[in-house]
Amino acid sequence: MKKLLVTHNLSKTYVQTQGFFSRVKTNIHALDGVSFSINQGTTMAVVGESGSGKSTLAKSLVRLVKLDKGSVKFNGIDLLNLKGEGLKIARRDIQMIFQDPYASLNPRLSILQIMEEPLLIHNFQDADARRKKIEDFIGRVGLEVSDLKKYPHQFSGGQRQRIGIARALILEPKLVICDEPVSALDVSVQAQILKLLKDLQREFGLTYLFITHDLRIVRHVADDVMVMRHGKLVEEGKTDIIFKKPKNEYTKDLIQSIPGLISKRN
Amino acid sequence: MKKDILKINNLSITTKVNTKFFLVDDISFSVKEGKTTCIVGESGSGKSLTALSVIRLLSPQLKMTGEILFNDDDICKMSDLEIRKKRGLDIAMIFQEPMTSLNPVLTIGYQIKEAIAVHSDLSSRKIDKKVEELLLLVGIPVERVNSYPDELSGGQRQRVMIAMAMSCNPKLLIADEPTTALDVTVQAQILKLLDGLKKKLKMSMLFITHDFGVVEDIADDVIVMFKGRIVERGRVSQVLSKPKHPYTKALLGCVPDAMGKKQLTPIDYEKLDRAMQRL
């Protein structure tokens, strides 16, 4: 199977300052030598508690965070040294779906404008073709063409997340980074969105990097899983194997903490 | 047969503007002494309103009718002063967001002390002693007594909230999604702590959650709410393994399991409507 993304030794240190005139400096290793690869068309889950570096990892892959060290090869291209037009083209292939559907849509733009923006940025000149594409994608995520003239506040959380997904997919990316896409949603809506993501993956051959803290979801969506703690990759492998035979103590701890398993343990 | 510590009869909640629109629609249930009753439901099902009405903390824009019997006293008929004496002393509550429920400019020691002082006339030194005991009880190092909330992690803040709730040995603890904002490992610790405290202090719990996994861990009895009504109730094992109501069945179909064997099925609302009409 072809590797879509290969990373090597990703590192990022944030400096935290404290005290009078910020004289006390502490280094926080958000990412500490993280290397992994994702096969095309599969889902890689990233799990870990808050502060483990999951989100820094995601942001670094779309170049929203500048890494201190490391290399990222995406589809054979060196992602971290791209500039200008080359970076723009690469960014089109890597899109992101965010956690909070209430904060990730501009409240002053209609859904049409929200979905048109990425197309305009990436030079889709023909207005009719744009419109056709938008109508096509809004339908794919289960909304109506008549919804396009509405504004984000007129939608529920689940519907907004659908809009976020449509916006991410309209450029037909190869890699989609999902940063806790369902953790703000009710369990019934969560099931709908997970199913939608799965269907879209099959249809477009998408590759997902799926960040979550819920191991039950990992079990359902991911082919592979990587467990992070304090910026380090502590364990990585096929989902089934990690769940059945976790090697790392922390991974064992995480699996033991899955709600619904505690009572059985006692 | 255990005694009911809390008994709710025909509780309805509407807005004052429109008394025809029921947010909570004629529900009755009880919490047994020393047991945990979980209310499960999605957002908007009325579970939090039900919890808030038990300590009369509903927004003044809402109107409630019915009977809420706590140890056979009707909470709805109490004066403001009487209910204030009950809050914290007999009935305590913990909330979802430990970040927003603590005062950021006061030390945690001061805040726990305040919770004790409201309901007792102990000397300051004795209260300090009690604060130390409480911190020990919830597993926070005693040195942290002079820390401010922003110096603590989310899990520690929730422990402080629990310490405050435990300060007067309440008979009933209402917990409104206390672990939703926490990491799984921390969630497991807090659930264990609450369950341990419940047994140690012989307390009853009314526990609100949307997570069936949490229900399985902590509940004795379960109530499932949907659109302001109770659609199913029973022992935890029975509701989770043999649900009767179509909504419970559909909702359980959405819950991912740790084994990963189950196929997730989103709720088909038309089918659910038809099934509910047949009832």
Side-chain angles (χ1 to χ4, degrees), chain A residues 7-202:
Chain A
T7 77
H8 181 66
N9 199 23
L10 303 180
S11 301
K12 170 77 189 172
T13 309
Y14 290 107
V15 180
Q16 193 182 39
T17 56
Q18 274 172 334
F20 196 50
F21 284 128
S22 308
R23 264 184 302 201
V24 187
K25 290 196 166 66
T26 355
N27 287 338
I28 294 168
H29 299 283
L31 287 177
D32 193 354
V34 175
S35 309
F36 67 95
S37 59
I38 311 177
N39 289 326
Q40 186 147 16
T42 64
T43 301
M44 164 74 92
V46 187
V47 289
E49 53 196 5
S50 9
S52 61
K54 317 186 288 269
S55 289
T56 305
L57 177 70
K59 283 181 194 154
S60 71
L61 296 178
V62 283
R63 291 271 303 265
L64 289 176
V65 162
K66 202 170 176 301
L67 288 168
D68 300 335
K69 259 197 305 196
S71 68
V72 178
K73 273 222 152 50
F74 174 72
N75 222 0
I77 317 163
D78 181 2
L79 194 67
L80 298 186
N81 291 319
L82 286 176
K83 280 193 201 108
E85 199 58 29
L87 176 62
K88 197 169 155 184
I89 293 167
R91 273 192 170 148
R92 191 176 147 174
D93 284 336
I94 307 177
Q95 289 292 317
M96 220 165 150
I97 298 168
F98 297 94
Q99 170 170 6
D100 187 350
Y102 292 86
S104 54
L105 302 174
N106 186 337
R108 293 171 56 157
L109 297 184
S110 67
I111 306 311
L112 180 68
Q113 288 169 309
I114 287 172
M115 291 187 60
E116 200 168 31
E117 216 171 20
L119 294 175
L120 288 171
I121 290 169
H122 290 281
N123 305 324
F124 283 76
Q125 304 289 1
D126 183 351
D128 285 340
R130 278 203 307 265
R131 177 84 197 188
K132 228 174 137 227
K133 214 172 160 81
I134 292 168
E135 286 178 3
D136 177 30
F137 273 87
I138 203 77
R140 279 172 201 273
V141 297
L143 295 173
E144 305 287 330
V145 173
S146 59
D147 290 331
L148 286 171
K149 46 181 191 299
K150 293 187 189 163
Y151 286 81
H153 71 266
Q154 293 171 287
F155 294 93
S156 67
Q159 287 172 323
R160 280 184 225 204
Q161 199 56 297
R162 287 171 190 271
I163 296 164
I165 292 171
R167 176 179 62 180
L169 295 188
I170 200 160
L171 291 167
E172 298 178 36
K174 294 192 178 73
L175 175 67
V176 180
I177 298 170
C178 311
D179 191 356
E180 307 250 15
V182 293
S183 51
L185 306 174
D186 260 329
V187 59
S188 58
V189 185
Q190 178 176 306
Q192 291 168 6
I193 297 291
L194 290 176
K195 184 166 183 294
L196 175 67
L197 286 171
K198 225 170 191 170
D199 292 345
L200 291 168
Q201 179 172 45
R202 218 170 289 136

Side-chain angles (χ1 to χ4, degrees), chain B residues 106-161:
Chain B
L106 300 174
T107 63
I108 58 159
Y110 184 89
Q111 294 186 58
I112 300 173
K113 206 169 157 174
E114 201 176 50
I116 305 168
V118 170
H119 292 292
S120 72
D121 38 16
L122 293 174
S123 70
S124 184
R125 191 174 301 150
K126 274 194 181 136
I127 294 182
D128 282 340
K129 188 96 187 46
K130 176 100 196 187
V131 171
E132 278 181 23
E133 284 169 25
L134 284 166
L135 287 176
L136 215 63
L137 185 73
V138 297
I140 292 184
V142 177
E143 314 77 273
R144 300 306 294 266
V145 64
N146 290 321
S147 299
Y148 288 89
D150 71 289
E151 295 168 329
L152 304 177
S153 67
Q156 281 176 319
R157 283 177 217 176
Q158 196 58 283
R159 284 172 195 268
V160 172
M161 291 303 297

Side-chain angles (χ1 to χ4, degrees), chain B residues 255-268:
Chain B
V255 183
D257 62 326
M259 303 304 146
K261 292 200 182 85
K262 199 167 87 181
Q263 187 77 34
L264 293 190
T265 32
I267 297 181
D268 180 343

